[in-house]
C-alpha cells in the first residue's frame, strides 16, 4: 500500500514563528503536492514538485515556500506564521502521467495564535 | 479558469436512502474527473474516476457518469449506509496535467 505520512497531526504555533511541515512518501512517486483545506473552499494547491529540487507555484503560494532535497520528502515552510494560515494542510503524491492517482496523507491541523 | 462546483451540504439522509451529489465543471478541453472521499480524521481517498465522455466510474456501490454535454459528473449511490458519512470532493485534472482542481466538498451525514 502507498503510504504518505505527515510529521504532525496537530500543531499550535505563535504568530511570527517559522513553521516546518514535513511529508514523506514511500512509493518512489515523482510528484508531490501541498494543499490547504478550508471549509467551503475545498482544497487549494499551494505548491507542487515534479522532481527533486524542482517546484512550481500553485494557486495560493503567498506566505509559503517548499523544499524537496530528496525524492521521498517534501517540506512546506511558513516563514513567518500568521493567523490567516490557520488551516488543515494536506500532502499528496503521485507517479505522474495521464492515469496517475494522487495519494493523500492524513493532514496536519495547524493553529496559529 | 478551470473550476468545479458542487452542491452545498450538509446532505442528511436516512440509512438505505438514495444519494445524489451534484457536480458540474468548467474547463477547456477534455479533463479527467474524480470523486474523492474524506472520512473523519483522515486524508482524502480516491473513490472513482472517469477519463472520457460517457465513461462511468464505480466503486463501493457509488457511481458517476462523465456527461460532456452537461459538463457534469454527479455522484450516486442506491442505498447509503451510516459508514458512508464523510466529505465528498469532486475534482478535475486537465489532459496532460498533474494538478487537480477541487470543488468545495459536500458533507454527507447518514442517520440510522
Amino acid at each position: 500500500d502507498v503510504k504518505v505520512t505527515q510529521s504532525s497531526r496537530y500543531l499550535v504555533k505563535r504568530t511570527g514563528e517559522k513553521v516546518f511541515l514535513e511529508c514523506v512518501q514511500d512509493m518512489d512517486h515523482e510528484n508531490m503536492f501541498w494543499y490547504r483545506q478550508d471549509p467551503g473552499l475545498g482544497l487549494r494547491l499551494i505548491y507542487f514538485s515534479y522532481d527533486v529540487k524542482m517546484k512550481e507555484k500553485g494557486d495560493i503560494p503567498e506566505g509559503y515556500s517548499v523544499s524537496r532535497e530528496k525524492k521521498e520528502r517534501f517540506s512546506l515552510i511558513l516563514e513567518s506564521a500568521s493567523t490567516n494560515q490557520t488551516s488543515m494542510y494536506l500532502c499528496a503524491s503521485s507517479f505522474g502521467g495521464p492515469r496517475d492517482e494522487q495519494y493523500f496523507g492524513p493532514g496536519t491541523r495547524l493553529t496559529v495564535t | 479558469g478551470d473550476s468545479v462546483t458542487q452542491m452545498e451540504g450538509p446532505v442528511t439522509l436516512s440509512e438505505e436512502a438514495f444519494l445524489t451529489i451534484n457536480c458540474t465543471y468548467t474547463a477547456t478541453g477534455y479533463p479527467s474527473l474524480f470523486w474523492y472521499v474524506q472520512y473523519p480524521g483522515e486524508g482524502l481517498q480516491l473513490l472513482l474516476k472517469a477519463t472520457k465522455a460517457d465513461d462511468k466510474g464505480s466503486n463501493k456501490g457509488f457511481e458517476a457518469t462523465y456527461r460532456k454535454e452537461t459538463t457534469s459528473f454527479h455522484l450516486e449511490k442506491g442505498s447509503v449506509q451510516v459508514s458512508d458519512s464523510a466529505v465528498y470532493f469532486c475534482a478535475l485534472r486537465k489532459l496532460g496535467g498533474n494538478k487537480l482542481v477541487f470543488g468545495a466538498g459536500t458533507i454527507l451525514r447518514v442517520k440510522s
Side-chain angles (χ1 to χ4, degrees):
Chain A
D1 271 357
V2 175
K3 195 154 190 186
V4 180
T5 56
Q6 296 183 227
S7 50
S8 306
R9 293 301 299 269
Y10 300 94
L11 211 52
V12 180
K13 295 292 182 181
R14 293 195 180 275
T15 301
E17 279 193 79
K18 191 168 186 176
V19 181
F20 293 86
L21 303 183
E22 306 283 340
C23 175
V24 177
Q25 51 92 4
D26 66 358
M27 282 299 293
D28 201 35
H29 283 169
E30 302 294 329
N31 300 327
M32 296 189 74
F33 306 82
W34 275 107
Y35 296 91
R36 63 177 281 176
Q37 180 181 4
D38 299 291
L41 296 176
L43 276 73
R44 293 177 292 166
L45 183 65
I46 305 172
Y47 267 98
F48 77 99
S49 168
Y50 48 91
D51 202 351
V52 174
K53 296 190 187 295
M54 306 302 285
K55 61 186 179 184
E56 195 166 313
K57 292 180 180 179
D59 300 316
I60 51 163
E62 296 78 18
Y64 304 94
S65 61
V66 291
S67 172
R68 192 164 180 205
E69 296 295 320
K70 293 185 178 181
K71 191 173 187 179
E72 67 271 18
R73 187 178 297 269
F74 191 35
S75 302
L76 180 70
I77 304 154
L78 288 66
E79 295 289 342
S80 177
S82 64
T83 54
N84 63 13
Q85 292 178 310
T86 291
S87 187
M88 171 71 86
Y89 290 88
L90 292 167
C91 175
S93 69
S94 70
F95 276 115
R99 292 181 294 176
D100 71 17
E101 171 187 342
Q102 288 190 21
Y103 294 84
F104 284 81
T108 296
R109 177 146 323 263
L110 172 67
T111 302
V112 182
T113 61
Chain B
D2 301 335
S3 66
V4 175
T5 303
Q6 289 180 236
M7 63 188 287
E8 285 192 31
V11 173
T12 303
L13 297 172
S14 297
E15 213 165 16
E16 300 184 2
F18 185 87
L19 168 71
T20 300
I21 300 179
N22 290 339
C23 170
T24 57
Y25 67 91
T26 301
T28 55
Y30 301 95
S32 294
L33 301 173
F34 304 82
W35 277 102
Y36 279 83
V37 58
Q38 184 179 34
Y39 297 105
E42 299 183 13
L44 276 69
Q45 304 173 24
L46 180 65
L47 182 59
L48 53 85
K49 65 181 180 183
T51 57
K52 61 183 187 298
D54 300 325
D55 265 4
K56 178 186 280 188
S58 61
N59 186 25
K60 299 182 182 179
F62 291 89
E63 292 183 340
T65 301
Y66 189 144
R67 301 283 188 204
K68 185 171 180 300
E69 63 277 10
T70 55
T71 62
S72 65
F73 192 55
H74 305 321
L75 183 67
E76 295 181 338
K77 187 176 186 184
S79 175
V80 294
Q81 306 300 313
V82 172
S83 57
D84 294 326
S85 297
V87 184
Y88 292 81
F89 292 93
C90 186
L92 68 83
R93 187 182 68 225
K94 292 185 77 168
L95 184 66
N98 288 311
K99 294 185 282 187
L100 290 170
V101 175
F102 285 89
T106 302
I107 296 171
L108 171 65
R109 298 184 179 133
V110 181
K111 302 183 299 184
S112 59

